[in-house]
């Protein structure tokens, strides 16, 4: 019984460390990440507005939020997008925050 | 008491044994998780250099301070009072002397409220009780329902000098909002104000717009 509990906890810990890297391309550390990477650029000129949207993950098990480009553009009042970046901050998979930055007019 | 025994092999040394009782191991792991969940976001949020974006464009530079949390007191015309929590971000679009449009400072905020805000009449920047700037120029980004409340997101545009002096102003930074039948006072916490002050100084030094 106790061995089973330990195995479950260890499995959760491994999943928590590995999960935040899933689905993202680029350089991410399994132990610690604090990186910004490009997502997309358009032919529109650099704008004067920025909109952000984020998703937060706890223990790699529960994740909430909306980090879509549409949500970020809506938050910034942006209708013409010039480019999109994203920032990932993760420590041991225990806590991770994924933020999308949309630039435009 | 049940225990877990870990065996490590270190070169040229005898095996090293580490024995931890199982309940302690589980409690230790949970404590570590809890510490990470509580401490990491807090520590990360307190760094000004992690809280802003500076980007050059053909006519100048755009500075963006990431969303900072505030607590709002909302007073309705019928005397009802309520409180809510929201976020506000700040954009300084600095344009040089050759630019076709002037520089401006925008406060974009999300204010949850019981009733939808159809419009914002004016917004006032207040620091330590003193009015440092006011504007009637506001833009509605969106108004949408969320649960039993409404999410109202607006952007208020100020003169850049007023905005920078407010950011660098005394503690007790407030944004007052006037809407038909509603007055909201948004107050920022001390850690948020410290970030806003530091980044306001960065913008003031680089643009001289506070002069």
């Amino acid at each position: 019984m106790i061995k089973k509990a330990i195995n479950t906890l260890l499995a959760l810990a491994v999943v928590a460390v590995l999960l935040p890297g899933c689905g993202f391309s680029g350089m991410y550390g399994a132990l610690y990440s604090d990186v910004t990477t490009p997502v997309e650029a358009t032919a529109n000129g650099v704008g004067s507005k920025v909109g952000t949207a984020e998703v937060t993950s706890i223990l790699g098990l529960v994740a909430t939020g909306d980090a879509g480009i549409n949500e970020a553009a809506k938050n910034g009042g942006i209708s013409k997008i010039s480019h999109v970046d994203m920032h990932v901050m993760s420590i041991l998979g225990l806590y991770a925050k994924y933020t999308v930055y949309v630039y435009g007019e | 008491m049940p225990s877990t025994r870990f065996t490590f092999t270190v070169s040229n040394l005898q095996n090293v044994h580490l024995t931890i009782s199982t309940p302690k191991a589980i409690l230790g792991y949970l404590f570590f998780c809890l510490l990470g969940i509580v401490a990491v976001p807090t520590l990360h949020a307190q760094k000004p250099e992690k809280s802003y974006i500076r980007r050059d464009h053909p006519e100048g530079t755009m500075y963006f301070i990431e969303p900072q949390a505030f607590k709002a007191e909302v007073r309705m015309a019928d005397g009802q009072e309520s409180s809510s929590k929201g976020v506000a971000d700040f954009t300084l679009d600095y344009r040089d002397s050759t630019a076709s449009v002037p520089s401006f400072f925008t406060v974009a905020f999300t204010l949850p409220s019981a009733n939808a805000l159809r419009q914002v009449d004016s917004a006032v920047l207040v620091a330590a009780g003193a009015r440092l700037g006011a504007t009637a120029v506001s833009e509605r980004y969106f108004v949408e329902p969320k649960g039993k409340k409404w999410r109202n997101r607006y952007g208020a545009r100020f003169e850049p000098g007023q905005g920078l002096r407010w950011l660098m102003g005394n503690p007790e930074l407030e944004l007052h909002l006037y809407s038909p039948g509603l007055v909201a006072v948004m107050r920022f916490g001390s850690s948020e104000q410290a970030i806003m002050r530091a980044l306001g100084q960065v913008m003031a030094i680089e643009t001289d717009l506070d002069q």
Side-chain angles (χ1 to χ4, degrees):
Chain A
M1 180 68 181
I2 290 168
K3 267 189 176 179
K4 203 173 179 181
I6 292 169
N7 287 338
T8 306
L9 276 173
L10 287 174
L12 288 177
V14 170
V15 169
V17 167
L18 295 179
L19 262 188
C22 297
F24 301 140
S25 60
M27 296 291 291
Y28 300 101
L31 298 180
Y32 180 74
S33 295
D34 189 4
V35 293
T36 301
T37 56
V39 175
E40 191 69 74
T42 71
N44 296 327
V46 176
S48 60
K49 289 181 171 179
V50 184
T52 65
E54 66 182 36
V55 166
T56 304
S57 164
I58 294 175
L59 297 176
L61 300 174
V62 178
T64 57
D66 179 351
I69 291 175
N70 185 51
E71 178 72 9
K74 198 172 78 170
N75 284 334
I78 295 167
S79 54
K80 280 174 67 179
I81 295 172
S82 65
H83 64 286
V84 182
D85 284 341
M86 72 174 175
H87 178 253
V88 175
M89 202 284 284
S90 168
I91 180 160
L92 293 173
L94 299 176
Y95 174 84
K97 191 167 80 171
Y98 169 65
T99 310
V100 167
Y101 298 87
V102 171
Y103 301 77
E105 287 292 354
Chain B
M1 179 178 287
S3 64
T4 303
R5 190 178 202 203
F6 300 91
T7 302
F8 302 90
T9 302
V10 181
S11 74
N12 299 327
L13 291 175
Q14 289 180 330
N15 284 352
V16 178
H17 302 292
L18 176 65
T19 303
I20 302 172
S21 69
T22 303
K24 279 184 183 172
I26 294 171
L27 282 175
Y29 176 70
L30 292 177
F31 176 74
F32 184 65
C33 291
L34 192 66
L35 192 69
I37 291 165
V38 172
V40 173
T42 308
L43 289 173
H44 193 263
Q46 287 173 344
K47 293 180 179 175
E49 70 272 21
K50 302 271 187 192
S51 302
Y52 88 116
I53 293 168
R54 178 189 188 283
R55 180 165 184 86
D56 291 331
H57 57 70
E59 293 189 326
T61 307
M62 185 207 64
Y63 301 85
F64 174 74
I65 301 178
E66 294 192 352
Q68 303 295 318
F70 64 75
K71 289 180 182 172
E73 284 177 14
V74 181
R75 281 174 241 136
M76 309 296 290
D78 60 7
Q80 281 189 338
E81 289 191 10
S82 61
S83 60
S84 61
K85 292 179 180 176
V87 292
D89 57 60
F90 312 92
T91 305
L92 172 66
D93 188 20
Y94 168 67
R95 304 278 175 156
D96 60 31
S97 55
T98 61
S100 54
V101 292
S103 304
F104 60 84
F105 177 81
T106 304
V107 181
F109 56 88
T110 304
L111 177 69
S113 65
N115 300 315
L117 286 185
R118 290 184 68 90
Q119 67 181 76
V120 171
D121 286 344
S122 63
V124 180
L125 301 173
V126 177
R131 290 164 65 106
L132 298 186
T135 185
V137 181
S138 66
E139 181 184 359
R140 184 175 58 243
Y141 293 169
F142 62 83
V143 175
E144 64 184 18
K146 186 176 185 186
K148 293 179 180 176
K149 287 195 167 188
W150 289 83
R151 282 178 78 215
N152 310 284
R153 186 158 176 84
Y154 283 84
R157 186 174 288 194
F158 296 89
E159 288 292 320
Q162 294 176 346
L164 291 185
R165 285 191 289 275
W166 178 70
L167 285 177
M168 296 187 296
N170 291 317
E172 300 175 38
L173 296 183
E174 295 175 355
L175 177 66
H176 294 195
L177 189 72
Y178 299 91
S179 174
L182 178 148
V183 177
V185 177
M186 305 173 212
R187 295 190 175 91
F188 296 87
S190 56
S191 59
E192 285 81 7
Q193 289 186 46
I195 289 170
M196 291 156 66
R197 192 171 302 117
L199 298 178
Q201 286 178 330
V202 171
M203 297 178 204
I205 290 167
E206 294 194 359
T207 66
D208 278 338
L209 286 174
D210 60 320
Q211 301 296 321

